Each structure stands twice: as C-alpha cells, then as structure tokens.
Amino acid sequence: MNPRRRKDSLKTRKKLLNAAIKVFSKKGFRDATVIEICTLAGANVAAVNYHFGSKEALYREAWRYAFLESLKKHPAPNEDESLPPDELLKAHIRSIVYRVSDPENREISILFKEISNPTGLLDEVIEEELTPLKENTEKLLKRLLGPYVPETEVKFSAISIVSQCMNPLLFQRAKKTDELNDIQDVDAYVEHVFLFSLLGIQGIRAKYENREP
Amino acid sequence: MNPRRRKDSLKTRKKLLNAAIKVFSKKGFRDATVIEICTLAGANVAAVNYHFGSKEALYREAWRYAFLESLKKHPAPNEDESLPPDELLKAHIRSIVYRVSDPENREISILFKEISNPTGLLDEVIEEELTPLKENTEKLLKRLLGPYVPETEVKFSAISIVSQCMNPLLFQRAKKTDELNDIQDVDAYVEHVFLFSLLGIQGIRAKYENREP
Amino acid sequence: MNPRRRKDSLKTRKKLLNAAIKVFSKKGFRDATVIEICTLAGANVAAVNYHFGSKEALYREAWRYAFLESLKKHPAPNEDESLPPDELLKAHIRSIVYRVSDPENREISILFKEISNPTGLLDEVIEEELTPLKENTEKLLKRLLGPYVPETEVKFSAISIVSQCMNPLLFQRAKKTDELNDIQDVDAYVEHVFLFSLLGIQGIRAKYENREP
Amino acid sequence: MNPRRRKDSLKTRKKLLNAAIKVFSKKGFRDATVIEICTLAGANVAAVNYHFGSKEALYREAWRYAFLESLKKHPAPNEDESLPPDELLKAHIRSIVYRVSDPENREISILFKEISNPTGLLDEVIEEELTPLKENTEKLLKRLLGPYVPETEVKFSAISIVSQCMNPLLFQRAKKTDELNDIQDVDAYVEHVFLFSLLGIQGIRAKYENREP
DNA sequence: AATGAATGAGCCTTCATTCAT
DNA sequence: GATGAATGAAGGCTCATTCAT
C-alpha cells in the first residue's frame, strides 16, 4: 500500500518525463494516456497534473527534454572552418542520420508525429529549437555551392540533403516488413547520402560557375 | 465537383467515404470522430457502423478509395522503354512531387500520418498498393545506374530520390509561416530534384564503372 | 430556446429534468453530481451530455422547466382592474407565499441558492423570467400608494412585501429545529403579511397625501 | 488532532482564518478550495489540515471568528428599557440592515449561503449564536405590540421585520446591474422599513386592543 | 435502408488529505 | 512548526458502438 521510497520520489518528475517521452513517441499525443505514462513511471495518476499541470504541458516539457538529451548524445558538428567542407558535410549528414536512426531517440519520433499530425502544442518549442539547425545547414551549403548559385537553389539543396537524412524515420515504423533492411547499415547509408549529395552539389556549382565569364 | 456522378448514387455510403477522407486526412485516425464524419456527410451517427461496420473499417475503405482517386488524377509515368531514361526519371520525380504537393490529395496525407503514427490498420493495404511503385522506381534506377552498381546502392538511391520527392509533405503543415515558401514553386523544385539526383546517379555509376575495366 | 424533442425521447429527457430539479434544489449546482441525477432518473451517466450537452445546460433547462411548472401550479394573480386593490394585494401576497412555501416547488429553492451563491449560469434566464413579476408588483403598489408617493418609496415598499413573502424559504431548511413552526400555518402568515403591509402602505400614503395641500 | 497550543502559531493560523472567511464568503463551502485559501494566506497546502484538521473544521472556526468580528463592528442595540420603544425599534432595524449591508461583513454572507445551501456544518454554531438575537427581537416586539396580541402574531411580526432587514443581502450579488440601486441609500431604506413596520405594528396592536374592552 | 436514443468504457482533471522530512 | 511531494477518490465529459424501431 505505502511502499514509499523517498529517493525515488525525488525523481518522480524525471521519471514522468522519461515515461512520457517513451509513450508519446510511441503513440503520439492523443493516443497516449496519462494513465499509461504514470503507470510506466510508477507514479500516481494525479502526478502528471501535480508536476506539470496538464497533459499538454507535460507533452511540451517532454519534447524539450528529449531534444536536449538528443543534442547531448549526438552533438551537431562543429562549424569549424578549418575542416575541409567535404568533411563538414559528411559530419553534418552523419549527425542527422544518427539522430534519426537512433531508436532510443524519441525526440525525433515525436517531432515527426507532430509534423504529420500537428497538435499545435509544440509549434513554438520546435521553432525555437530547430531554426538554428536549419540555418547552419544553409550556411554550410553556401560554402559548398560557391557564390554564384542563387538562394533558391541553396534552399532546395538543403531540403534535398535533410530529406535524405530524415528518411530512415519515414520507414522506421515499417520495420516488421523487410523494407527497412534497406537502411540496416546506417553507416553505409551515410556514405551513400554523402556521395550522392556531394556529386549533386558539385554538379550544381559547376553549372552556375560555367555560366559566369 | 462532378455532377455527372450524381446518378451513380452519391448515396450515403459514398458521401461517408468522401467525408471520411477529408476528416481522416486532416486529423488522423484517432483525432477524427465518427460524429464529425457523419455530420460532414449529412448522415446519421449510426451510419458509419451501419455501412462499414466500424470506424476502423471505414478508415481502410476510405484510404483505398482515396488512393484510387489519386492514381486516376496523377497516373504513374508510363514505363516506356523507348523513352530516354533521363526523361523517364524526370517524369517519375514529377509524378511523385505532384501527388505529394497536391493539397487535394488526401490519400498522401493519410499515408503520411499512418507512417509516422501507425494504427496498423493500413499495413496490408499500404503494402499492397505501394509495392509496385517501389519496384518501378528501383527498376528505373537499375537502368540509370548500369550493371555494375550493387543492389544496396540501387536501393539507397531509390530512397534518396523518393525522400526528396516526399519532402514537401513534411512541411505542408507549416505553410502558415512563410518559411516553407521554399518549395513554393513546385516545378522549380522538380527541376532541382531531377538535376541533383541525376548528377548523383551519374557520379555513382561512374564510380563503379571505373572500378570495373 | 424552446427545444421540442421527439415524442418518445421526451421520456428520458423529462425524467432527467425532473431528477435534475430535485437534486439541484437539494444540493445546488456544484454539489449535485451528474451521476446522482442520472441514477435518480434511471438513465445512463452519459444521458445528461447526450440530451443537454453539459451539466450547465441541464441546470439552465431544469430551472426554466421548474419555473414554468411552478407558474402553472401557482398562477400569478390576474391584474384585473375590477378587483378591489386590497383583494389584489392579498392575492399577490398569497401567490408568492404559496409558491415559496410549497416544498414541491424546487424552482424557488434553486433560485434562492443561485442568489446566495451565484454560478452566473442562470443570470439571463432569471432576468428574463423575473422581470415581469417585479414590474407587476410595482404597478400594483403604485395603485395602492396613490400618486403622491415618490418612486423610491414605491420600490422600497415592493421590497418590503416581497421580502416578507420570500422569508419562509429563508428558514425552510432549518425545519429540523422547531423554529419554523413559526410559519406552520401558511394561511395565517398570509393574513399577517397582508394586514401588516396594508397598514404600512396606507400609512405611507397618508403621510404623503397630507403633505399635499 | 489539535496540535495548536502555541501562541506563535497564531500568525499563520490567523492568516488562514482571514483568508478562509474571504474565500468561503465569496464561494461557499464547496466551491472554495483549500489551495485557494492557503495561497491567499501565503501558507502551504497542508496548513489547513495542520492547523485545523480539516476543511470542515476550518469552515466552522472561520464562521465563528467572523461572527465575533461582526459583533464587534456592529454591536447589537442596547436593550435599554429607558429608551422610547420607537427609537429602540429603529435602532434594531438599523443594526441589522447595517450588518447585512456591510460588504465587508463576510459572516452574513456565509450565513446566507449556509441557510440556502446548508452543509449542516454550521447548524450548531448558528443556533448557538443566533438564538439570542431572535429572542431580543421578539422581546422588543412584545413591548411594541402590547399585551393583547397573541404569541403567533408576535412571531409573525418579528419575521416581517427581520425579513425586510435581511433583504438587501438577497440582491447583494446583483449589484452589477443598476436595478438594485433600489437600496442604494441604506439609511433611506432603514427609514422606510422603520416607518412601514411601525405602522403595521401599531395597526395590529390597535386591532387586538379594540377587540378587548 | 436508416435512424435517433441510449450506453459503457475510458479519459483528463480537481481536490482534500496524508506522509516523510 | 511547517512543508513539498504524492495520492486516491471522484467528477464531468467524449466517443464508438449498440439497440429498437
């Protein structure tokens, strides 16, 4: 009835966050139930409202928490100008693919659900966290594409690369089918995306440079 | 939209299907309510269960129906071997991008939600409908990559291309912000993906052919 | 505003209304529970929301219903000018006292709770229903007080009379104690209020008439 | 559980009482929440149970405390037999009307809520505190009505007077609307009630005295 | 063929109270 | 003496589904 462990109770908040991330990433906001989260966290049903005020607030906190954890685990490549741009590109691609492929990385899973089926609850949080990532990508691409390529093309290229990197997630769920053995070897996929994109980038750069006198 | 169809009974059943597609594509399976669908269809609350047996069954039927409608509107490119492969690739890319970019194309929206937040209800249906598309893409890529490129690379390349094509969907929801005007010009984006990918493909082909002599 | 439902549906709906009146009048809005009301009505817990949309809406409907029932049972005295004003006054007093004293008349009990502990939910409804009653009282008093008595005094007198009439309610709850045997004999109390008030009215009339030349 | 013995604890304890009076008088027992009271008192959520044992106990204590404060502020008129009875009546009326009209006088507000929506928690307390007031009123009326008026009539008359005095409370809540400026001028209302009642009393006295000889 | 009424399971949330510190 | 953490019980409401007509 009352097996209270004080040390544990101090961590209830954190346990709730971890449980929430798992459940939200598996089921999405609506399908996840507070009861399930609390049970998984070994806490009372009222714990969510006590610690976070509402399911919605927990959702926001959980994503933010997961996002920060994710960044810790897969740090964005250092924008060290001394690195050759090619290496930088590969590091960038690897960083995204790793984060996306890491089955422990629920943050991306939540983000993905949110994008495809928005609750609107993460709009601000996401904006706030993702904008810098986007800008870094475009900055790197500007270096790789050179000065003659128009802005539009830079953005399109950024989309091309990010799309390929995020793709594993798209089919992650279909794991039951063997479709996803496709990307079984994550490193090989990174190599592919790197090569495929580098060639594309170089070709586009050449196209616009040849135009110039 | 199609008054000629009146006669073949925009009966309750069909009205339900159309309403279901709209609501499911907007809200996903769980967030959509039977009441909302029935109201939109001008039918009774019990209509769904009467005509389809359950919400789940309606979901399946609705997706299948939407998928067929989508194929009618955006037919897959003819795999005419006589066409130059480059043209075929561009047609392929255009076909996917168009379908994905068409805001009326609820089927893709449902599919996307299903991938990111699977109900499991569409697993079979999707498998059944999408396998041919996947095979066509790989067949085309085999032609473009030549005989020396390993199977894995073919699959990776298919993923690279499909990823880029499906990307517009990823940000479809964020349309409110002007950030995503990135892909405003769909045709320009098609050109980009085509060029970017063609260069990647050619580079990979060259890499493996040079190994061969 | 005058929701006429289907014939048979009136059954559960009406049972809910009757149960609601009983429970609300006994416990007030907040203390009454939907479950209790539904149980008393022999209906399902969801019945309230099905028929009325919410507990609040049921509250409004219930009071309105009770009010109309009350008016049917204790009709306001006919403002027949042919009646001698004294008789009219007594009829008026009797009408109010009867309605207030009738233990079956839950409407007044709800109204009273609402006044002392407002939910704000009945504001419009009450305003709408009570305004005519108030105006009738003042009109009658104007006749009784004559042309020389100022408006303020008319209103004060109306308050004096209505207060005395509504008072039984004030102590209705204390029935356990014998305090309220005070008004056991309702008709005697009516006689008292009538006499007491008539004397007051006549005195005030005289006071102002004597002032006039 | 009565762990309060120290005088130092009176600080939080008293703050809780004051907060409780405010919240209970505004919302009633059930609608008031312990959290709201504690917050207003600047105390911890557990403070109520710590100092008073339960919400119910706090309710009782709070009313008693408020009642005593009220008596301090509006002392009952001295039943000085030397005063002319008329003056005594007016003082009596004024005393009640003032207490009832004082918006700071939460005790009356709580009492009123309790009467209309009894929790049963104050039954004893109220009985205990109000009985003397009632008896004083009846004693005064006996003097005014003379020896020939029957007991019932005395009680009815007491009710008539008290009712009129308490009436302002009835409409206290409706203050937003200007309808109730009726009683805006409290002193004018006191004059009215005094005159109106005195005339009634005198008439009734006369009626029974004329019967006698 | 179709519907309005009704339902039961389940969800999120509130709140007075308890417990360990 | 006082508190933050935690809880269990309960409440209102939603919704897919069933039933009688």
Side-chain angles (χ1 to χ4, degrees):
Chain A
M1 276 307 229
N2 280 326
R4 295 189 195 284
R5 311 159 215 104
R6 210 60 332 223
K7 349 173 174 178
D8 281 358
S9 67
L10 287 178
K11 295 189 223 150
T12 297
R13 196 188 145 87
K14 206 158 188 174
K15 282 199 289 184
L16 280 172
L17 279 176
N18 281 313
I21 290 167
K22 277 185 194 147
V23 179
F24 281 137
S25 72
K26 194 170 137 209
K27 307 206 168 172
F29 177 73
R30 178 78 193 274
D31 285 325
T33 74
V34 170
I35 292 180
E36 187 178 0
I37 292 170
C38 289
T39 304
L40 185 60
N44 184 272
V45 211
V48 161
N49 281 335
Y50 177 72
H51 285 284
F52 301 93
S54 71
K55 185 189 178 187
E56 299 195 351
L58 172 60
Y59 186 55
R60 274 186 277 256
E61 295 279 345
W63 188 81
R64 193 171 238 132
Y65 177 69
F67 181 79
L68 294 179
E69 292 292 307
S70 166
L71 270 194
K72 257 190 242 167
K73 194 170 174 185
H74 306 286
N78 194 354
E79 299 293 326
D80 190 345
E81 297 263 343
S82 68
L83 256 181
D86 286 19
E87 289 303 314
L88 217 51
L89 176 65
K90 189 187 271 187
H92 204 87
I93 288 171
R94 182 184 298 114
S95 163
I96 304 181
V97 172
Y98 274 22
R99 275 177 63 199
V100 164
S101 302
D102 182 356
E104 296 297 310
N105 193 353
R106 330 277 187 178
E107 163 245 345
I108 289 280
S109 183
I110 295 177
L111 171 64
F112 195 50
K113 284 182 175 54
E114 186 62 28
I115 288 172
S116 74
N117 204 1
T119 62
L121 298 172
L122 298 187
D123 284 359
E124 296 152 18
V125 192
I126 288 178
E127 187 74 17
E128 190 181 315
E129 311 280 21
L130 292 189
T131 303
L133 291 187
K134 188 191 166 196
E135 284 168 355
N136 280 344
T137 306
E138 292 187 356
K139 211 169 70 184
L140 169 60
L141 273 175
K142 233 173 244 173
R143 275 178 69 197
L144 287 162
L145 286 166
Y148 304 118
V149 174
E151 194 66 19
T152 314
E153 202 66 35
V154 175
K155 288 189 172 179
F156 281 174
S157 297
I159 291 172
S160 284
I161 289 168
V162 173
S163 300
Q164 294 176 74
C165 295
M166 294 196 65
N167 191 78
L169 201 67
L170 267 167
F171 302 102
Q172 200 170 27
R173 296 291 156 181
K175 260 180 192 164
K176 312 149 196 172
T177 76
D178 56 354
E179 293 206 22
L180 256 293
N181 297 347
D182 292 358
I183 330 176
Q184 220 172 19
D185 188 354
V186 174
D187 282 320
Y189 186 65
V190 168
E191 285 300 324
H192 161 80
V193 173
F194 169 61
L195 181 59
F196 193 93
S197 300
L198 190 62
L199 293 166
I201 288 168
Q202 287 170 345
I204 287 176
R205 176 175 192 146
K207 172 182 160 190
Y208 284 95
E209 277 178 350
N210 291 342
R211 266 190 196 162
E212 302 297 315
Chain B
M1 290 297 180
N2 237 339
R4 282 168 288 155
R5 290 239 188 116
R6 274 298 157 84
K7 41 153 68 182
D8 70 15
S9 70
L10 265 183
K11 272 272 168 93
T12 300
R13 196 186 145 87
K14 203 154 190 177
K15 282 196 287 185
L16 279 172
L17 278 176
N18 281 312
I21 290 167
K22 277 185 192 145
V23 179
F24 281 137
S25 72
K26 193 169 139 210
K27 307 203 167 174
F29 177 73
R30 173 75 193 271
D31 286 331
T33 71
V34 170
I35 291 180
E36 187 177 1
I37 291 170
C38 290
T39 304
L40 185 61
N44 184 271
V45 209
V48 161
N49 282 297
Y50 178 72
H51 283 284
F52 299 92
S54 72
K55 186 189 179 185
E56 299 193 351
L58 171 61
Y59 185 55
R60 275 188 278 258
E61 295 280 343
W63 189 80
R64 198 185 286 272
Y65 178 70
F67 180 79
L68 295 178
E69 292 292 307
S70 167
L71 270 195
K72 260 190 236 164
K73 196 170 175 184
H74 305 285
N78 194 354
E79 299 293 327
D80 189 345
E81 299 262 343
S82 68
L83 257 179
D86 285 17
E87 288 304 315
L88 218 50
L89 176 64
K90 189 188 269 187
H92 203 86
I93 289 170
R94 183 186 295 114
S95 161
I96 303 181
V97 172
Y98 274 22
R99 274 177 65 196
V100 163
S101 303
D102 181 358
E104 297 296 311
N105 194 352
R106 330 275 188 182
E107 163 246 346
I108 288 281
S109 184
I110 295 177
L111 170 64
F112 192 52
K113 283 181 176 57
E114 186 61 30
I115 288 171
S116 73
N117 204 1
T119 63
L121 299 171
L122 297 188
D123 285 359
E124 299 148 18
V125 190
I126 287 177
E127 187 75 15
E128 188 183 317
E129 312 279 19
L130 292 188
T131 303
L133 290 188
K134 189 194 165 194
E135 284 168 355
N136 280 344
T137 306
E138 293 185 356
K139 209 168 74 184
L140 168 61
L141 273 175
K142 235 173 244 173
R143 277 179 67 197
L144 285 161
L145 286 166
Y148 305 116
V149 173
E151 194 64 19
T152 314
E153 203 66 35
V154 174
K155 288 190 170 179
F156 281 173
S157 298
I159 291 172
S160 283
I161 289 169
V162 173
S163 299
Q164 294 176 73
C165 294
M166 294 197 65
N167 193 77
L169 202 65
L170 266 169
F171 303 102
Q172 199 169 27
R173 297 288 157 183
K175 261 180 188 162
K176 311 148 195 171
T177 76
D178 54 356
E179 295 206 23
L180 263 298
N181 292 356
D182 292 0
I183 329 179
Q184 217 174 22
D185 189 354
V186 174
D187 282 322
Y189 186 65
V190 168
E191 285 300 323
H192 162 80
V193 173
F194 168 63
L195 180 59
F196 193 94
S197 301
L198 191 61
L199 291 165
I201 288 168
Q202 287 170 346
I204 287 175
R205 174 173 193 149
K207 171 182 163 190
Y208 284 95
E209 278 177 349
N210 291 342
R211 262 190 200 163
E212 279 312 300
Chain C
M1 299 303 159
N2 266 330
R4 306 276 153 82
R5 300 288 150 131
R6 312 290 161 265
K7 12 171 178 181
D8 282 350
S9 70
L10 282 182
K11 241 182 145 190
T12 297
R13 197 187 144 86
K14 203 157 190 174
K15 281 196 290 182
L16 279 173
L17 279 175
N18 282 314
I21 291 166
K22 277 182 195 150
V23 179
F24 281 136
S25 72
K26 194 170 138 211
K27 308 208 168 173
F29 177 73
R30 178 76 192 271
D31 285 325
T33 73
V34 170
I35 291 181
E36 187 177 2
I37 293 171
C38 289
T39 303
L40 186 60
N44 183 272
V45 210
V48 162
N49 280 336
Y50 176 72
H51 283 285
F52 301 93
S54 70
K55 186 188 178 187
E56 299 195 352
L58 171 61
Y59 186 54
R60 275 187 276 255
E61 294 281 344
W63 187 79
R64 191 169 241 132
Y65 177 70
F67 180 80
L68 295 178
E69 292 293 307
S70 166
L71 270 194
K72 256 190 244 166
K73 194 168 175 185
H74 306 286
N78 194 353
E79 298 294 326
D80 190 345
E81 298 262 345
S82 67
L83 256 180
D86 287 16
E87 290 301 317
L88 216 50
L89 177 65
K90 189 189 269 189
H92 205 85
I93 289 170
R94 183 186 295 115
S95 161
I96 303 182
V97 172
Y98 275 22
R99 275 178 63 199
V100 163
S101 303
D102 182 355
E104 296 297 311
N105 194 355
R106 331 275 186 179
E107 162 246 344
I108 289 279
S109 182
I110 295 178
L111 171 63
F112 195 51
K113 283 182 177 54
E114 186 62 29
I115 287 171
S116 74
N117 203 0
T119 63
L121 298 172
L122 298 187
D123 284 359
E124 298 154 16
V125 192
I126 287 177
E127 187 74 17
E128 190 181 313
E129 311 280 22
L130 255 33
T131 302
L133 291 187
K134 188 191 167 195
E135 285 169 356
N136 279 345
T137 306
E138 293 187 356
K139 212 169 67 184
L140 169 60
L141 273 175
K142 233 173 246 172
R143 278 179 66 194
L144 287 161
L145 286 165
Y148 305 117
V149 172
E151 193 66 19
T152 313
E153 204 65 36
V154 174
K155 288 191 170 179
F156 281 172
S157 299
I159 290 173
S160 283
I161 290 168
V162 172
S163 299
Q164 294 175 75
C165 295
M166 293 196 66
N167 192 76
L169 200 67
L170 266 168
F171 303 102
Q172 198 171 28
R173 297 290 155 182
K175 260 179 193 165
K176 311 149 195 171
T177 79
D178 56 356
E179 292 206 23
L180 256 292
N181 298 346
D182 291 0
I183 330 177
Q184 219 173 21
D185 189 353
V186 174
D187 282 321
Y189 186 66
V190 168
E191 285 300 326
H192 161 80
V193 173
F194 169 63
L195 182 58
F196 192 95
S197 300
L198 190 61
L199 293 165
I201 288 168
Q202 287 170 346
I204 286 176
R205 175 172 192 148
K207 171 181 161 192
Y208 284 95
E209 276 178 352
N210 291 344
R211 266 192 197 160
E212 302 297 317
Chain D
M1 298 298 174
N2 237 341
R4 50 186 152 82
R5 293 182 193 150
R6 309 280 166 80
K7 293 205 169 176
D8 343 345
S9 69
L10 282 182
K11 238 184 148 187
T12 298
R13 199 186 139 82
K14 204 158 189 172
K15 282 195 288 184
L16 279 172
L17 279 175
N18 281 313
I21 291 167
K22 278 185 193 147
V23 178
F24 282 136
S25 73
K26 195 170 137 208
K27 307 205 168 172
F29 177 73
R30 173 74 195 272
D31 285 332
T33 72
V34 170
I35 290 180
E36 186 178 1
I37 292 170
C38 289
T39 303
L40 186 61
N44 184 271
V45 208
V48 162
N49 283 298
Y50 179 71
H51 284 282
F52 299 92
S54 72
K55 186 188 179 186
E56 298 193 352
L58 171 61
Y59 185 55
R60 275 186 280 255
E61 296 281 344
W63 188 80
R64 197 184 288 272
Y65 178 69
F67 180 78
L68 295 178
E69 292 292 306
S70 167
L71 270 194
K72 260 190 239 167
K73 194 170 175 184
H74 306 284
N78 195 352
E79 298 293 328
D80 189 345
E81 298 263 344
S82 68
L83 257 179
D86 286 17
E87 289 303 314
L88 217 50
L89 177 65
K90 190 189 269 188
H92 203 85
I93 289 172
R94 184 186 295 115
S95 164
I96 303 183
V97 172
Y98 275 20
R99 273 178 65 199
V100 162
S101 301
D102 181 358
E104 296 297 310
N105 195 352
R106 330 275 188 181
E107 163 246 345
I108 288 282
S109 185
I110 295 178
L111 170 64
F112 192 53
K113 283 182 176 56
E114 187 60 30
I115 288 172
S116 73
N117 202 2
T119 63
L121 299 171
L122 298 188
D123 284 358
E124 299 147 19
V125 190
I126 288 178
E127 187 74 16
E128 184 182 319
E129 312 279 20
L130 292 189
T131 304
L133 290 189
K134 188 191 167 195
E135 284 169 355
N136 279 346
T137 306
E138 292 186 356
K139 209 169 70 184
L140 169 61
L141 273 175
K142 233 172 245 172
R143 278 180 65 196
L144 287 163
L145 286 165
Y148 306 116
V149 173
E151 194 66 19
T152 313
E153 204 65 38
V154 175
K155 288 190 172 179
F156 282 174
S157 297
I159 290 174
S160 282
I161 289 168
V162 173
S163 298
Q164 293 176 74
C165 294
M166 294 198 64
N167 193 75
L169 203 64
L170 267 169
F171 303 102
Q172 200 170 27
R173 298 289 157 185
K175 260 179 190 165
K176 310 149 197 170
T177 77
D178 55 355
E179 294 207 21
L180 262 296
N181 293 353
D182 291 359
I183 328 176
Q184 216 174 22
D185 190 354
V186 173
D187 282 321
Y189 186 65
V190 168
E191 285 300 324
H192 161 81
V193 173
F194 169 62
L195 181 59
F196 193 94
S197 301
L198 191 61
L199 293 164
I201 287 167
Q202 287 170 346
I204 287 176
R205 175 176 192 144
K207 170 180 162 194
Y208 284 96
E209 278 177 350
N210 292 342
R211 265 191 198 160
E212 282 311 302

